[in-house]
């Protein structure tokens, strides 16, 4: 029998009203839909077959939506579906630079501009955008999530640090630039708790990490204590009580980063550092201010705050062309944290206004982070920020925001006339729906609403951690509950595959005892996104109490 020939009218109540399009829906499926159910015959499908197939996947998704706890994905989407569905009739493309309308007129660049202004204000960047002001912000709405933003940051930083021409070059004396084998060879640093996409991005873009260059050019010279001169793959994270990082908080070790950056700065390498604001598994926030305070003296010592950089050679005279720019770049991967931490800061600064004082202080991470120097006055330290729109705000598909400053913009590799707008973004065609959904979310929620959302999530994180701890005591279970201070995630022992699947839990194995008799632990985590409720957490806890892997039965 064809999968399109049966329909079960049960479980309509499980679906949002918009899913009911005048026909009954099947029972929530126990398993994921299979490709055979969606095979497309040469003659296509009739309307009944097509709708039955769509009902199947819609019912499955609606069911899983109610049980998604393990990923940074907000499921509060009913409002945008009701108000924004009409825009699906339009082929919207925000082609090219967001601040130039371009030739493709069915775009939402005005909306995108407004969204960028909103986040520029939250992240204390100078606005509005002005191409004539090197200190003003520039950015765009990503068609992917923060993976695209991180890749763009790496690309931007690689070309900026290696001397590629800028859109707005700075004044230069035309002398004093020193070209060495390392001066155009940036080195990247990121922690072992960084999102896996960074390891992919450095390979795609040909950006060398400190490990790559260390192994190739400085074997056996790693300056980290206890390393025996062996270069680690990433910057170590802060160790926990065990002395290893598996039970640590997930933050980058500022001590280790300082030693590594000093080593490569002394060798003449430009430096790219990526810091996490809500790490993938532990939800940790790297201490951006502490990193900047420790690294700035190094940048000053080696003339990296501002120096003459060679950007090419005059084709007629053969003279070197130079401009003045930095030789370091600090990027913040704020896929999750950059969207909600500004509201923590607001509550912290005005508890009487928002009726709440956060238990943990909001870390400083944005373009407003400035520090004094000996020879250059007060300088800004953060060069770029990336944020995902489908995580904290809630968009039905991956998207996000990338932001930097005009002074860091590198001239694009091509200037196609037919687009009508400069090709300054990572993609050519860009999703014009994403700015609409982000705008709708921001328009629906005041600052007070946003503060209340993060307050509820923090309270739920504390609730889940305390309940897991209580279950260990009252039921004699081994759950290993842990939460990094201030994080929106709680991690605990991995239950049975059935529960991992039911609740869409993200799992990770950690090495607890290295060596020949290595031991490991398997963890899962729950992210307390705005769509998570106490009722869902209680249902998960009930499942854990009866889970054979957890109980040992």
């Amino acid at each position: 029998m064809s999968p399109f020939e049966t329909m079960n009218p049960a479980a309509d109540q499980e679906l949002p009203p918009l899913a009911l399009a005048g026909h009954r829906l099947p029972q929530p499926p126990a398993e994921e839909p299979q490709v055979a159910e969606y095979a497309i015959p040469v003659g296509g499908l009739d309307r009944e077959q097509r709708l039955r197939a769509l009902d199947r996947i819609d019912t499955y998704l609606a069911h899983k939506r109610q049980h998604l706890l393990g990923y940074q994905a907000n499921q509060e989407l009913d409002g945008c579906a009701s108000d924004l569905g009409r825009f699906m009739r339009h082929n919207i493309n925000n082609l090219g630079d967001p601040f130039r309308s371009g030739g493709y007129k069915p775009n939402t660049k005005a909306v995108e501009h407004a969204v960028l202004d909103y986040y520029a204000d939250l992240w204390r960047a100078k606005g509005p955008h002005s191409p004539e002001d090197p200190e003003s912000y520039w950015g765009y709405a990503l068609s992917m999530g923060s993976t695209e933003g991180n890749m763009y940051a790496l690309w931007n930083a690689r070309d900026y640090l290696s001397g590629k021409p800028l859109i707005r070059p700075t004044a230069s004396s035309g002398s004093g630039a020193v070209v060495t084998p390392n001066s155009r060879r940036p080195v990247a640093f990121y922690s072992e708790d960084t999102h896996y996409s960074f390891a992919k991005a450095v390979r795609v873009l040909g950006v060398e990490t400190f490990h790559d260059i260390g192994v190739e050019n400085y074997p056996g010279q790693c300056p980290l204590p206890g390393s025996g001169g062996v270069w680690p793959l990433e910057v170590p994270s802060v160790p926990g009580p065990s002395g290893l990082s598996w039970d640590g908080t997930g933050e980058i070790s500022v001590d280790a980063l300082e030693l590594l950056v000093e080593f490569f700065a002394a060798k003449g390498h430009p430096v790219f550092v990526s810091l996490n604001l809500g790490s993938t598994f532990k939800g940790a926030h790297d201490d951006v201010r502490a990193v900047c305070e420790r690294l700035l003296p190094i940048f000053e010592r080696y003339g990296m705050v501002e120096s003459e950089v060679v950007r090419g050679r005059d084709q007629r005279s053969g003279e070197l062309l130079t401009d003045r720019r930095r030789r370091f770049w600090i990027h913040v991967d704020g896929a999750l944290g950059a969207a909600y931490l500004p509201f923590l800061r607001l509550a912290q600064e005005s508890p009487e206004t928002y009726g709440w004082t956060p238990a943990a202080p909001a870390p400083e991470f944005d373009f407003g982070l400035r520090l004094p120097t000996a020879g250059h006055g007060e300088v800004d330290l953060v060069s770029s920020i990336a944020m995902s729109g489908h995580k904290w705000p809630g968009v039905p598909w991956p998207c996000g925001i990338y932001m930097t400053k005009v002074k860091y913009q590198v001239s694009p590799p091509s200037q196609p006339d037919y687009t009508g707008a400069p090709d300054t973004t990572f993609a050519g065609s860009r999703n014009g729906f994403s700015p609409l959904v982000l705008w709708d979310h921001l328009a629906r929620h005041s600052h007070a609403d946003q503060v209340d959302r993060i307050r509820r999530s923090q309270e739920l994180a504390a609730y889940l951690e305390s309940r897991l701890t209580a279950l260990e005591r009252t039921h004699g279970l081994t759950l290993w509950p842990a939460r990094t201070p201030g994080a929106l995630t709680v991690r605990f022992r991995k239950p049975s595959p059935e529960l991992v699947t039911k609740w869409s839990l993200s799992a990770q194995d950690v090495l607890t005892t290295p060596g020949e008799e290595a031991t490991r632990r398997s963890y899962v985590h729950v992210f307390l996104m705005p769509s998570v409720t106490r009722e869902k957490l209680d249902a998960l806890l009930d499942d854990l109490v009866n889970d054979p892997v957890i109980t040992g039965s």
Side-chain angles (χ1 to χ4, degrees):
M1 178 179 291
S2 166
F4 305 120
E5 293 177 7
T6 60
M7 294 178 67
N8 189 323
D12 287 359
Q13 69 278 7
E14 183 107 16
L15 296 163
L18 286 169
L20 304 178
H23 48 279
R24 307 292 286 178
L25 295 167
Q27 205 168 29
E31 298 180 353
E32 294 185 35
Q34 302 299 308
V35 65
E37 300 175 74
Y38 296 89
I40 304 172
V42 174
L45 301 174
D46 62 33
R47 184 177 186 276
E48 185 71 14
Q49 291 173 321
R50 181 174 57 82
L51 291 179
R52 188 173 284 117
L54 293 175
D55 285 346
R56 164 79 163 105
I57 192 75
D58 185 32
T59 307
Y60 170 78
L61 292 173
H63 180 69
K64 299 310 294 184
R65 169 186 176 181
Q66 300 302 320
H67 296 82
L68 191 142
L69 292 178
Y71 290 84
Q72 304 174 15
N74 182 15
Q75 301 294 309
E76 289 182 332
L77 303 173
D78 287 348
C80 75
S82 61
D83 288 351
L84 303 181
R86 54 185 154 165
F87 294 100
M88 293 298 290
R89 296 177 300 164
H90 307 288
N91 190 329
I92 307 173
N93 190 337
N94 285 11
L95 179 64
D97 191 276
F99 301 101
R100 297 273 292 275
S101 177
Y104 193 89
K105 296 307 181 183
N107 66 64
T108 59
K109 289 188 178 182
V111 178
E112 180 179 9
H113 192 160
V115 170
L116 291 169
D117 281 348
Y118 183 97
Y119 282 109
D121 182 62
L122 276 187
W123 297 339
R124 302 187 296 170
K126 186 178 181 181
H129 165 74
S130 170
E132 304 304 318
D133 184 353
E135 294 298 328
S136 82
Y137 87 86
W138 178 87
Y140 74 99
L142 307 165
S143 290
M144 295 162 55
S146 286
T147 293
E148 179 186 344
N150 293 335
M151 290 185 72
Y152 194 95
L154 272 169
W155 180 30
N156 200 163
R158 181 198 69 184
D159 288 358
Y160 176 89
L161 296 173
S162 59
K164 293 292 194 298
L166 303 178
I167 288 179
R168 185 180 174 83
T170 53
S172 172
S173 64
S175 62
V178 177
V179 179
T180 69
N182 292 337
S183 62
R184 290 190 164 194
R185 195 180 182 188
V187 55
F189 301 85
Y190 52 87
S191 82
E192 61 182 294
D193 278 271
T194 294
H195 191 264
Y196 66 87
S197 65
F198 247 95
K200 179 168 53 179
V202 294
R203 296 296 179 264
V204 170
L205 293 166
V207 175
E208 296 176 289
T209 68
F210 74 91
H211 171 269
D212 299 331
I213 297 177
V215 169
E216 179 181 348
N217 294 91
Y218 313 110
Q221 298 181 46
C222 177
L224 296 180
S227 68
V230 177
W231 295 98
L233 288 173
E234 299 103 1
V235 180
S237 296
V238 175
S242 69
L244 302 173
S245 61
W246 71 268
D247 57 349
T249 59
E251 299 170 13
I252 194 170
S253 169
V254 181
D255 292 338
L257 179 64
E258 181 183 21
L259 288 172
L260 291 167
V261 168
E262 172 95 42
F263 181 92
F264 286 92
K267 305 294 185 184
H269 290 276
V271 167
F272 172 89
V273 176
S274 181
L275 301 172
N276 298 316
L277 211 63
S279 63
T280 309
F281 200 76
K282 297 179 180 178
H285 306 132
D286 289 340
D287 193 336
V288 180
R289 169 170 275 276
V291 167
C292 292
E293 289 174 341
R294 296 280 281 276
L295 297 189
L296 184 55
I298 298 173
F299 299 149
E300 288 190 273
R301 189 155 51 247
Y302 296 102
M304 301 171 71
V305 174
E306 187 178 273
S307 63
E308 295 279 339
V309 174
V310 174
R311 58 180 172 84
R313 188 180 294 275
D314 187 275
Q315 293 186 11
R316 293 184 178 179
S317 67
E319 294 181 357
L320 292 178
L321 302 174
T322 67
D323 57 33
R324 299 193 66 78
R325 64 179 79 174
R326 293 182 178 175
R327 299 185 64 247
F328 71 89
W329 187 291
I330 295 177
H331 171 67
V332 174
D333 177 5
L336 178 63
Y340 71 79
L341 284 174
F343 302 110
L344 266 183
R345 185 189 74 238
L346 293 178
Q348 184 177 297
E349 293 172 350
S350 303
E352 68 285 350
T353 300
Y354 298 103
W356 177 51
T357 301
E364 193 174 3
F365 70 90
D366 56 26
F367 298 109
L369 204 169
R370 302 179 65 87
L371 295 174
T373 64
H376 301 279
E378 192 177 63
V379 298
D380 57 309
L381 275 299
V382 174
S383 301
S384 57
I385 298 173
M387 182 209 80
S388 290
H390 56 288
K391 293 186 177 179
W392 182 256
V395 176
W397 47 77
C399 65
I401 299 292
Y402 172 79
M403 193 168 288
T404 183
K405 294 187 175 184
V406 168
K407 65 183 178 182
Y408 297 126
Q409 282 189 274
V410 175
S411 295
S414 62
Q415 298 286 357
D417 292 333
Y418 73 90
T419 62
D423 186 30
T424 51
T425 63
F426 195 79
S429 294
R430 293 189 300 113
N431 189 331
F433 292 95
S434 299
L436 281 170
V437 185
L438 286 169
W439 181 91
D440 188 68
H441 164 79
L442 298 173
R444 286 172 178 272
H445 297 90
S446 67
H447 281 189
D449 294 333
Q450 296 283 9
V451 169
D452 195 52
R453 292 169 87 233
I454 182 59
R455 177 190 59 78
R456 292 198 308 270
S457 290
Q458 291 277 5
E459 290 174 352
L460 285 177
Y463 171 76
L464 178 58
E465 182 187 23
S466 66
R467 292 285 287 115
L468 289 168
T469 302
L471 286 179
E472 286 197 310
R473 183 179 64 255
T474 60
H475 289 67
L477 304 177
T478 300
L479 291 168
W480 311 323
R483 179 190 174 206
T484 295
L488 296 185
T489 183
V490 177
R491 54 196 185 274
F492 52 93
R493 183 182 175 189
K494 182 179 179 181
S496 65
E498 290 75 20
L499 281 194
V500 170
T501 298
K502 175 180 177 179
W503 293 102
S504 292
L505 299 175
S506 174
Q508 180 171 300
D509 286 351
V510 297
L511 182 68
T512 57
T513 306
E516 294 183 2
E517 299 182 1
T519 58
R520 309 185 75 87
R521 281 187 178 182
S522 294
Y523 281 88
V524 293
H525 65 181
V526 166
F527 264 99
L528 287 306
M529 305 304 289
S531 51
V532 175
T533 63
R534 181 171 293 199
E535 289 73 21
K536 291 182 183 180
L537 297 181
D538 287 342
L540 168 68
L541 292 165
D542 286 343
D543 283 346
L544 290 174
V545 168
N546 295 291
D547 185 67
V549 170
I550 298 298
T551 62
S553 59

